[in-house]
Amino acid sequence: MTSGTTPDVADSALSTVEAYQAAILSAITPLAPASLELAAAEGCVLAEDVTAAVALPPFDNSSMDGYAVYAADVGGAAADSPATLRVTGEIAAGDIGAHRLAPGTAMRIMTGARLPAGADAVVPVEWTDDDDARVAIYRPAERGNAVRYAGGDAAEGETLLTAGTRMRPMQIAVAASAGRTAVSVRPRPRVVVLSTGDELTEPGTPLVPGRIWDSNSYMIAAAAREAGAVASRRAGVPDDPKGVLPALEEQLAHADLLITTGGVSMGGEHDVVKAALRKLGTVTFRKVAMQPGMPQGFGVIGQGRGGGLGGAGAKRGVPIFTLPGNPVSAYVSFQMFVRPALAALQGASDLSLPSVRATLTGPVRSPSGRRSYLRGVLDGTKVTPLSGQGSHQIAYLGRANALIIVPEWETQLPANDTVDVLILP
Ligand code: AMP
Ligand code: MG
């Protein structure tokens, strides 16, 4: 429990996952929108609706290479009695000429080319003898055959994308098709990850007994990027209470959200993050009824851009998460709590990981009163729990693609039970 420090309510009462998530989200407001060029807006969340500047498609055009015709002229065409029409011209995609088709004639037309006035159907080249002068057509074409009508995809002025939509490649294409060069989006949150611990050594530096390579700062920065942030790491903050606040202070000006790992266990003089931040009074430490990831801390520090530490009355500071040091705990905590916060900063609606129902291929255990997030391998509708479920077991985490949820009220589930499974990004 809380040896060495004064126990407080937040430390001794267990929060549910949902209550803790709600407390976090109530403290987050989306970042101010900015107008970004399409390439830069990729992956960001729209802060405005995007409407079609023109109808899509903007003009009637052909969906195939073939011949523009009057459907009535080819109504009786058959393999043994083809309709034969004089070919009076050719229209390529991009041709802006004012073509008009005379009844009883045909014009060669390419995919995407504007339909000549009068024509009401396109005969695919495969239904013809492909002749340039007089084309023989072997099959009838109905009115509208192979024609893409103006506005058939969207009407002029129609809303194509709504605020809150993430600009994935498809949406970038929609915005470009709507004539936009830039869109108003929430910028990617700037995240700084600080790993704490005297035992941490930078990968690339030889290990001495008693030390480990820092993996958390790489992992959490990568997870933040995956969740739409721009992330950097400030690795290896020493276990010195006097060093933690200056390290955080240094990053405040560059961050929309701060994440620390380590130094927040259930009490003890080496829990430097907890010791340093508790003094500010704006960060709350609590135990969440989950495994892994029971000790959690969240709050707001500084005063936003240019602010300093200790702004208890600050209007808007920088949200900070203090994640547990064990890598699996840090990872699961990130996905459950930081990911929704990053989504909220971006004004996104997709706050949590997608989940599916799946059948356990083996039994699982879970502590009473806590929700377990077990590492598993999801394959179709079956999920296999991994044998290594220790919160230090990063190698097993690396084999997982899903988290198996075991509810608070279950202590074991047999094989073939159905469970909720979170799909890892
Ligand atoms: P702590 O929360 O600081 O007590 O750390 C809990 C466990 O996580 C200890 O075994 C640490 O060595 C380990 N740990 C803490 N930080 C990291 C890190 N950045 N990378 C890998 N393991 C870590
Ligand atoms: Mg530590």
Side-chain angles (χ1 to χ4, degrees), residues 197-224:
D198 283 344
E199 74 277 33
L200 301 181
T201 300
E202 193 59 11
T205 310
L207 273 190
V208 294
R211 300 283 170 92
I212 57 169
W213 283 308
D214 172 17
S215 59
N216 284 348
S217 62
Y218 283 102
M219 170 174 67
I220 299 300

Side-chain angles (χ1 to χ4, degrees), residues 276-293:
L277 288 175
R278 196 196 284 282
K279 287 201 199 92
L280 296 181
T282 58
V283 179
T284 304
F285 294 91
R286 63 184 105 194
K287 292 188 216 162
V288 179
M290 65 190 281
Q291 178 168 293

